[in-house]
Amino acid sequence: MSNRFQARDRYADGAQYIGGRLRPGTSGRTQDIVDPATGETVHSYELAATADVDAAVAAARDAFPGWAGATPGERSDALHRFASVLAEQSADLAYAESLQCGKPIRLTTEFDVPGTVDNTAFFAGAARHLQGQSAGEYSGDHTSYVRREPIGVVGSIAPWNYPLQMAAWKVLPAIAAGNTIVLKPAEITPLTSLMFAEAAKAAGIPDGVVNIVNGAGKDAGEHLVGHPDVAMTSFTGSTPVGKRVAEIATATVKRLHLELGGKAPFVVFDDADLEAAIHGAVAGSLINSGQDCTAATRAYVQRPLYDAFVSGVADLMAGVRLGDPLDPATDLGPLVSHLQRDRVAGFVDRARAYATVVTGGEAPGGDLEKGAYYRPTLVAGAAQDSEIVQSEIFGPVLVVLPFDSDDEGIALANDTPYGLAASAWSRDVFRANRATREIKAGCVWVNDHIPIISEMPHGGYKASGFGKDMSAYSFEEYTQVKHVMYDNTAVARKDWHRTIFGDR
């Protein structure tokens, strides 16, 4: 099967999915989908214009009353069918994700796709459990209860690093709660988001509930966020762009959920299992070629283990196999684009003036030089306030720094604007427990780094944003809480009326 041919054939009618059908964009500008492993164009399509966004929002608005009015059981059944369709299409989804992103097929087959299927199955069950507080007579004269209601049309923007999983994280809690959605994926990686929406239709989810617009952020993205018929915006991406999204969303007073950048610390105390920490650091820093906002980027290692950690990580990184993403033997694929590869290389090249590149720090030559590859890179000797320690690189680069006391290690871990994820490595339960309490991040792993599960929330502190993806906690973003209050007295002249008019 040639997925390159399939992409061109499958989306010959256009790469906008509106009201249950594919259609071309109307911007007059085309976008190439490029295989980052080869630099070859997989498909070209016409980008969405603001008129296409308007059409998608209108389709979602029209579909909202029927979908919001479906019973929780009906939405649950549809999502269970959705999970089954995705599972049936798992091989195609994995191939397409590797093709457009450069991800190793092992990662898409064993992580991206099964994670998405599991997430869909989770929300199929969670759709039946959208409950408010139980009824009660809190005033004495009234019965109160809480309803959870869908918000309306959700406008979401997703990034290019996990196109399939991010489509799921945006779409699933929104529609499980009874909302309809317009999703704008990154325009360079639209294929699996379109496949996800088509799978929803195949599962019997009504037309207009899930819509996809593929356009530029300045055009389609900003118009979607500011659209008056969009009641809520969910954005995953960089912190600078998130600030712009917030400006637009708050101007129209809509609900906002932001999952932004990260610079995850990896704190290794001197009683840690050194081998486990070394292996965890390499895996945690190189997942998805480091293009993961929760990836391990700053390793802080207590001084007694520091030299051995640096040596061990360097040796392990040197053995990582770069290659064709579709080869199951490949460990590390290219970055998503040559532009991103050059951005990562710029961080490392500038760091040479003040730090040591222990291993890596270059693009490979030979058979891989046409692709957007970059070798696994370990940097040591950088200062805490240096660019490479403080800024999000989004590539296969790990910076390692020593620390002495536990107080210093935790302080260094917290010393960036970000707070999305972190890990602590120790055999001492009290030491580890202190780290989980005091490190300011939305997720803190102990003796591991990266695993996520559908039942637990994902979201950050500080400049990493607010709100949660996944888990039942995500329903807090996608539902309105309504207080309903019944009078129980049947008394026309109530005592509290006399505070406004008349005598008691």
Side-chain angles (χ1 to χ4, degrees), residues 133-186:
Q133 288 181 323
S134 59
E137 287 67 50
Y138 299 99
S139 78
D141 291 337
H142 305 81
T143 295
S144 289
Y145 68 89
V146 169
R147 291 176 54 88
R148 282 196 178 274
E149 298 179 349
I151 295 173
V153 176
V154 176
S156 290
I157 300 177
W160 47 255
N161 58 332
Y162 289 100
L164 178 61
Q165 286 195 317
M166 292 298 99
W169 287 16
K170 299 303 182 193
V171 169
L172 294 171
I175 68 172
N179 302 286
T180 55
I181 189 168
V182 178
L183 173 69
K184 194 200 89 64

Side-chain angles (χ1 to χ4, degrees), residues 103-115:
K103 295 172 183 276
I105 195 71
R106 288 208 319 260
L107 184 67
T108 59
T109 301
E110 299 177 27
F111 182 74
D112 295 68
V113 174

Side-chain angles (χ1 to χ4, degrees), residues 320-480:
V320 169
R321 298 165 296 188
L322 281 69
D324 180 358
L326 300 180
D327 183 348
T330 293
D331 296 325
L332 193 73
L335 281 82
V336 75
S337 67
H338 287 81
L339 181 66
Q340 181 64 14
R341 191 271 310 275
D342 293 345
R343 179 181 181 276
V344 171
F347 277 102
V348 176
D349 290 343
R350 291 189 296 273
R352 296 179 197 277
Y354 55 80
T356 300
V357 178
V358 180
T359 191
E362 63 182 3
D367 294 341
L368 301 180
E369 65 180 347
K370 291 184 178 180
Y373 291 88
Y374 198 75
R375 294 194 186 280
T377 299
L378 180 65
V379 177
Q384 174 66 15
D385 62 355
S386 62
E387 177 193 51
I388 205 163
V389 174
Q390 292 292 324
S391 298
E392 188 173 31
I393 300 171
F394 232 54
V397 180
L398 177 65
V399 184
V400 59
L401 298 89
F403 68 92
D404 292 304
S405 68
D406 289 15
D407 288 349
E408 182 189 11
I410 291 173
L412 290 170
N414 285 328
D415 185 27
T416 71
Y418 301 105
L420 187 58
S423 63
W425 297 74
S426 173
R427 291 184 174 96
D428 185 327
V429 65
F430 300 103
R431 209 175 202 181
N433 196 33
R434 179 194 175 188
T436 64
R437 289 196 314 271
E438 297 186 13
I439 293 175
K440 304 303 181 188
C443 174
V444 182
W445 293 283
V446 176
N447 296 326
D448 207 345
H449 194 108
I450 284 297
I452 54 175
I453 49 176
S454 297
E455 291 82 359
M456 289 292 112
H458 175 86
Y461 286 28
K462 303 189 293 185
S464 292
F466 48 82
K468 300 299 179 184
D469 288 310
M470 298 200 300
S471 83
Y473 289 97
S474 65
F475 285 137
E476 300 297 327
E477 318 304 326
Y478 294 98
T479 55
Q480 288 278 18

Side-chain angles (χ1 to χ4, degrees), residues 181-264:
I181 189 168
V182 178
L183 173 69
K184 194 200 89 64
E187 57 268 35
I188 62 172
T189 55
L191 296 179
T192 48
S193 298
L194 290 167
M195 294 168 74
F196 190 76
E198 290 174 308
K201 180 182 177 73
I205 292 174
D207 292 347
V209 173
V210 179
N211 305 275
I212 308 291
V213 291
N214 285 297
K218 284 287 186 182
D219 302 325
E222 292 197 1
H223 190 64
L224 178 62
V225 173
H227 200 289
D229 290 334
V230 169
M232 183 248 181
T233 289
S234 177
F235 171 80
T236 295
S238 71
T239 297
V241 177
K243 291 177 180 178
R244 174 61 179 156
V245 169
E247 289 174 1
I248 299 169
T250 53
T252 53
V253 197
K254 53 172 54 82
R255 182 80 66 89
L256 181 62
H257 164 220
L258 298 175
E259 196 265 270
L260 307 176
K263 190 70 178 175

Side-chain angles (χ1 to χ4, degrees), residues 31 42 44 62 97 124 172 199 214 237 246 279 311 329 356 386 434:
Q31 173 69 48
V42 172
S44 296
D62 291 346
E97 195 79 333
L172 294 171
N214 285 297
H279 281 258
S311 176
T356 300
S386 62
R434 179 194 175 188

Side-chain angles (χ1 to χ4, degrees), residues 493-504:
R493 296 169 57 88
K494 296 180 171 60
D495 281 347
W496 78 266
H497 295 173
R498 306 288 75 78
T499 64
I500 312 302
F501 68 94
D503 299 323
R504 291 188 186 276

